[in-house]
Amino acid sequence: MNFLNNIFRPSQQKHSIILCITSPRGLHLRPIASFVNETKKYSEEISLYNKDQRVDAKSINAILALTLVAGDRFELCVIGQEPQKTLYALADFFEELMQAELQKHQVAVIEPSSDSSEISKIETAVYSSQSLTGSIICEGIVLAPLYRATLKIENRSNNLDFQEALQQSIQELDKLYEKHKQSANASIYLAHKTLLEDKEIQNITTLEAFNIYIKEHIQSLQATSFDARRADYLDIQKLILAKLGQSSTLVVPDTPFILFADDLLPSEVATLSKSAVVGVVLKKSSLLSHSAILLKSFAIPSVIIRDTIVASDKSILDASLGVLISKPSSEDIDIAKDRIIQNQEIEHSADLKKFDKTINKEGKEVKVLANITNLESAKEAKAQGADGVGLLRSEFIFQTKEPTLEEQTKVYRDIFRLFDTITIRTLDVGGDKELPYIKMAKEANPFLGIRGIRLFDSHPEVLQTQIKAILRASKGKAINIMFPMVSTPKEFINAKATTLRIAQKYKLKVDNVKFGIMIEVPSVIFQIDAFNDIVDFYSIGTNDLTQYLFAIERTHPTLHADPLSDVLFDVLELLYTKSTKPISICGEIASIPQASKRLLEIGFTSLSMASAQIPLIKETIRNG
Ligand code: PEP
Ligand code: MG
């Protein structure tokens, strides 16, 4: 690449900063597109450096080819007259981008493993006809003919050359972006436009060369966690081909139908949304694909089912259970109709009652708390009716630059003010979460290394500043301080002692502070009696507990531990029974309706989850 050979001119300065991919989904197409568009606003030479590769930060394709995943670091480098200002502005922009991605991730649906015994038990309990089960993209229940996607290919020769087709496609995407600016889809149009504007594509002059380029990019992404991006490349290729007169369009009926297809391109989903479609079943897609995101944003009930499907003139798609029945009995049709009415009533009622107390069928009050990451998500939690904060993931508040004591104190104080019940977790850095200003040695197995409470030993100054800020912000207000990744009582005792020492040294109040631990490490299960004597409360982090129980990394691209495994529920029951202190659940499991029911059966009365799920879970609990 040309800019690699750029000569560093003496009047120019070079500044760089290390940034970290904190979004669990890695650096994928849409954030890259936003970032690239931001870099283009600056005249300086901006580059990105990762694993001995330096790429132009103004090239979306070059960044995409780095396939940066969660936890990866890269160096952002700016060369120019006044590079520092640009560097800081871009670092801030990147931090906000990662925050936004994280929030989207937290409300994302968990993909149930297709062999999940719990899902199939529930499904057979509802319907008796033969059915296929898959992963839910967007919930909803519909009854309609099941129709196979077919394409109409047309070849009209026109006089456009490749470059003209390219520029017209860019203009079209720009118009679509402007039109949909307020919706979730806008970022996809912008991403596709940015892909086409990339220098590498702009330099292509023939359709043949463009096709080779697309093929190579798709191949380079294969078997990486970015495989789902192939649909985006195919989509921009389709757009150019259409401009050149070679169009392929989905043929769809005029009356309501459920469409099944191997996969759909994002543009096809957009077209489909204007048709009579009521449901979609995809075979090869992924929950993270843009087609899936669009289906969700258009609220089209949809699932991914890997099995072979045949067309039928009457079928049930119960996307709330992830079930497709292509030949339903008349009883099952009646059941589906009842469930449709029930769902409408539940959603309506959930919204009306989101600020009310949640009393279950046995008359017990259940606290439905929020998992939050910053002030913005704290406000969102409030708006969704959260009964408090069960988990403030403090490591996500400042992601680029090390905050000062004052900055930290201010944010914590602003968040604490919003709630009566608040649990703040001290920095849970390590594993898949890195912060650029906390230098950590490279580890072969970061999930088994320096993480969570272990930072009290490895990075005492960072933790001490955080504790001081938390105590200053609480100023006597009742708060819960929670330590993550605790594996022995000694770790807890030491962390609490450090906190008390800081309080004494700076004359800060701790009378209203309760100290607790996350239960995420299996060793805690066998030391619960010892912990009962020393902690004030527990919160079970089932995300990590599941990964350590099954030895399956939570971010693994192909292995998935079953989030509804009986083994996990046995452990949760054991913990609930043996604990003598308040105990709550803050892993993603708390927001899966089937799981929350089982948790309440065990006896849990406090669940913490992503804010978007709160109204519905509250209503599910009330209805038993
Ligand atoms: C958990 O492990 O379940 C948890 C809530 O913590 P995090 O997802 O932040 O690791
Ligand atoms: Mg955890």
Side-chain angles (χ1 to χ4, degrees):
M1 260 164 251
N2 281 344
F3 82 103
L4 273 183
N5 308 324
N6 270 353
I7 295 159
F8 187 61
R9 289 169 289 282
S11 63
Q12 295 189 316
Q13 294 176 22
K14 178 176 167 184
H15 278 250
S16 73
I17 193 167
I18 302 287
L19 295 173
C20 177
I21 314 293
T22 47
S23 155
R25 290 178 47 196
L27 199 55
H28 63 94
L29 184 59
R30 276 167 301 133
I32 296 179
S34 307
F35 189 65
V36 164
N37 280 308
E38 193 62 21
T39 58
K40 283 181 182 165
K41 293 180 188 162
Y42 299 93
S43 58
E44 287 102 331
E45 184 182 312
I46 306 166
S47 49
L48 220 128
Y49 187 87
N50 171 267
K51 295 183 199 128
D52 301 330
Q53 254 184 299
R54 189 180 285 273
V55 298
D56 184 355
K58 295 177 185 173
S59 165
I60 184 168
N61 282 306
I63 302 181
L64 199 57
L66 288 176
T67 60
L68 293 170
V69 295
D72 277 354
R73 285 154 172 251
F74 64 88
E75 186 181 352
L76 181 68
C77 180
V78 179
I79 298 177
Q81 303 292 340
E82 254 190 280
Q84 205 164 9
K85 221 168 126 200
T86 304
L87 189 69
Y88 284 158
L90 285 173
D92 286 346
F93 183 85
F94 187 79
E95 180 178 5
E96 280 166 23
L97 210 56
M98 289 292 103
Q99 285 276 7
E101 282 298 302
L102 181 79
Q103 260 150 35
K104 280 184 215 154
H105 178 77
Q106 282 170 348
V107 297
V109 186
I110 289 194
E111 179 164 16
S113 54
S114 52
D115 58 354
S116 160
S117 53
E118 279 317 307
I119 296 270
S120 38
K121 261 187 236 160
I122 291 161
E123 157 226 327
T124 38
V126 172
Y127 299 107
S128 51
S129 314
Q130 206 183 1
S131 60
L132 298 172
T133 313
S135 311
I136 302 163
I137 298 174
C138 175
E139 292 201 18
I141 308 162
V142 286
L143 277 161
L146 188 55
Y147 180 85
R148 183 191 297 279
T150 48
L151 290 174
K152 187 168 88 190
I153 315 282
E154 277 175 312
N155 228 326
R156 285 168 283 108
S157 63
N158 63 25
N159 294 327
L160 286 191
D161 67 17
F162 175 76
Q163 270 298 328
E164 285 165 333
L166 176 62
Q167 303 320 326
Q168 281 191 13
S169 302
I170 291 173
Q171 280 165 17
E172 184 175 324
L173 288 166
D174 194 43
K175 276 193 202 136
L176 281 167
Y177 169 68
E178 288 299 330
K179 190 168 161 207
H180 295 272
K181 225 169 180 171
Q182 303 308 326
S183 83
N185 316 338
S187 59
I188 298 177
Y189 299 127
L190 184 65
H192 286 185
K193 174 177 168 261
T194 314
L195 271 177
L196 289 179
E197 283 172 343
D198 195 286
K199 258 189 257 159
E200 289 179 5
I201 293 187
Q202 288 291 323
N203 289 336
I204 297 176
T205 51
T206 65
L207 179 61
E208 292 68 37
F210 177 68
N211 286 340
I212 292 171
Y213 178 89
I214 296 287
K215 198 169 154 204
E216 281 175 0
H217 268 76
I218 290 175
Q219 272 166 0
S220 74
L221 296 175
Q222 241 162 34
T224 71
S225 50
F226 295 85
D227 196 20
R229 295 292 82 84
R230 101 182 154 262
D232 295 301
Y233 280 108
L234 290 176
D235 219 10
I236 56 167
Q237 187 179 35
K238 189 181 157 201
L239 188 61
I240 301 265
L241 285 173
K243 293 277 173 246
L244 291 170
Q246 303 170 32
S247 65
S248 64
T249 37
L250 268 180
V251 187
V252 291
D254 303 335
T255 47
F257 66 99
I258 298 165
L259 186 87
F260 70 97
D262 269 8
D263 200 356
L264 289 172
L265 299 177
S267 65
E268 288 166 347
V269 179
T271 315
L272 204 58
S273 71
K274 294 182 205 125
S275 74
V277 75
V278 292
V280 169
V281 183
L282 299 177
K283 189 171 183 182
K284 294 192 182 145
S285 193
S286 96
L287 290 182
L288 304 181
S289 71
H290 280 149
S291 308
I293 294 167
L294 282 177
L295 284 167
K296 231 175 146 180
S297 80
F298 290 124
I300 301 174
S302 39
V303 291
I304 298 170
I305 290 180
R306 309 278 178 214
D307 309 86
T308 306
I309 297 166
V310 284
S312 108
D313 53 11
K314 200 182 271 174
S315 63
I316 299 172
L317 173 63
D318 192 328
S320 298
L321 294 176
V323 170
L324 174 72
I325 305 176
S326 44
K327 292 199 176 11
S329 62
S330 53
E331 292 81 45
D332 278 347
I333 291 180
D334 288 343
I335 291 172
K337 283 181 180 164
D338 285 348
R339 281 176 52 75
I340 291 172
I341 295 170
Q342 251 173 35
N343 263 16
Q344 288 165 344
E345 283 167 1
I346 291 173
E347 271 167 31
H348 183 63
S349 162
D351 201 54
L352 286 180
K353 291 192 267 169
K354 63 183 179 187
F355 296 112
D356 297 355
K357 278 189 178 172
T358 315
I359 312 290
N360 72 5
K361 284 270 193 263
E362 284 82 50
K364 258 201 256 172
E365 183 176 356
V366 179
K367 291 285 181 200
V368 184
L369 309 162
N371 292 348
I372 63 165
T373 49
N374 56 19
L375 183 57
E376 206 177 53
S377 67
K379 289 179 183 162
E380 169 65 9
K382 197 89 192 154
Q384 292 292 356
D387 296 324
V389 170
L391 170 64
L392 166 51
R393 288 179 162 105
S394 65
E395 62 278 6
F396 289 107
I397 302 180
F398 303 98
Q399 291 193 52
T400 319
K401 284 171 281 171
E402 183 161 6
T404 62
L405 176 67
E406 282 63 37
E407 282 166 338
Q408 283 194 69
T409 310
K410 179 170 180 344
V411 175
Y412 298 153
R413 187 178 293 139
D414 289 347
I415 296 176
F416 293 173
R417 274 193 192 128
L418 293 174
F419 299 94
D420 292 336
T421 306
I422 180 117
T423 301
I424 178 166
R425 177 172 77 182
T426 54
L427 287 171
D428 183 20
V429 177
D432 59 341
K433 292 183 274 194
E434 287 188 41
L435 286 177
Y437 52 86
I438 299 186
K439 300 273 170 278
M440 313 263 281
K442 197 99 195 130
E443 294 174 305
N445 295 299
F447 277 112
L448 304 178
I450 310 286
R451 191 188 158 184
I453 199 166
R454 294 169 188 169
L455 270 88
F456 271 89
D457 288 332
S458 64
H459 297 75
E461 14 16 88
V462 180
L463 265 297
Q464 282 167 23
T465 308
Q466 182 182 35
I467 295 283
K468 194 172 163 192
I470 293 173
L471 295 180
R472 276 177 49 165
S474 87
K475 249 194 164 177
K477 178 189 164 86
I479 58 158
N480 301 324
I481 296 182
M482 175 157 75
F483 302 117
M485 288 298 296
V486 176
S487 60
T488 64
K490 192 163 169 263
E491 283 170 332
F492 171 80
I493 291 167
N494 288 347
K496 181 174 172 184
T498 303
T499 309
L500 298 183
R501 263 199 311 276
I502 292 167
Q504 199 177 29
K505 183 168 170 193
Y506 298 101
K507 301 196 173 27
L508 295 163
K509 286 202 180 117
V510 273
D511 318 355
N512 288 325
V513 178
K514 288 200 164 44
F515 294 91
I517 60 164
M518 294 276 294
I519 303 184
E520 298 164 292
V521 183
S523 65
V524 175
I525 307 166
F526 306 99
Q527 304 174 83
I528 199 83
D529 293 335
F531 278 110
N532 279 335
D533 292 338
I534 53 176
V535 305
D536 297 319
F537 68 92
Y538 300 103
S539 186
I540 309 178
T542 47
N543 307 339
D544 276 310
L545 188 57
T546 310
Q547 101 163 325
Y548 294 121
L549 272 178
F550 292 97
I552 293 183
E553 218 180 278
R554 56 193 280 184
T555 52
H556 198 282
T558 54
L559 301 174
H560 304 285
D562 180 358
L564 301 175
S565 138
D566 283 339
V567 177
L568 178 66
F569 278 91
D570 287 348
V571 168
L572 297 178
E573 184 154 14
L574 186 77
L575 286 169
Y576 179 81
T577 315
K578 296 202 79 183
S579 143
T580 58
K581 296 291 168 69
I583 185 162
S584 146
I585 307 257
C586 66
E588 295 301 317
I589 196 176
S591 64
I592 303 176
Q594 300 100 302
S596 64
K597 277 193 184 138
R598 290 179 78 182
L599 296 173
L600 300 183
E601 275 162 25
I602 293 173
F604 286 98
T605 52
S606 172
L607 307 175
S608 192
M609 63 198 68
S611 300
Q613 316 294 331
I614 290 175
L616 190 64
I617 293 291
K618 280 190 163 188
E619 195 58 9
T620 312
I621 297 170
R622 289 186 192 110
N623 295 338

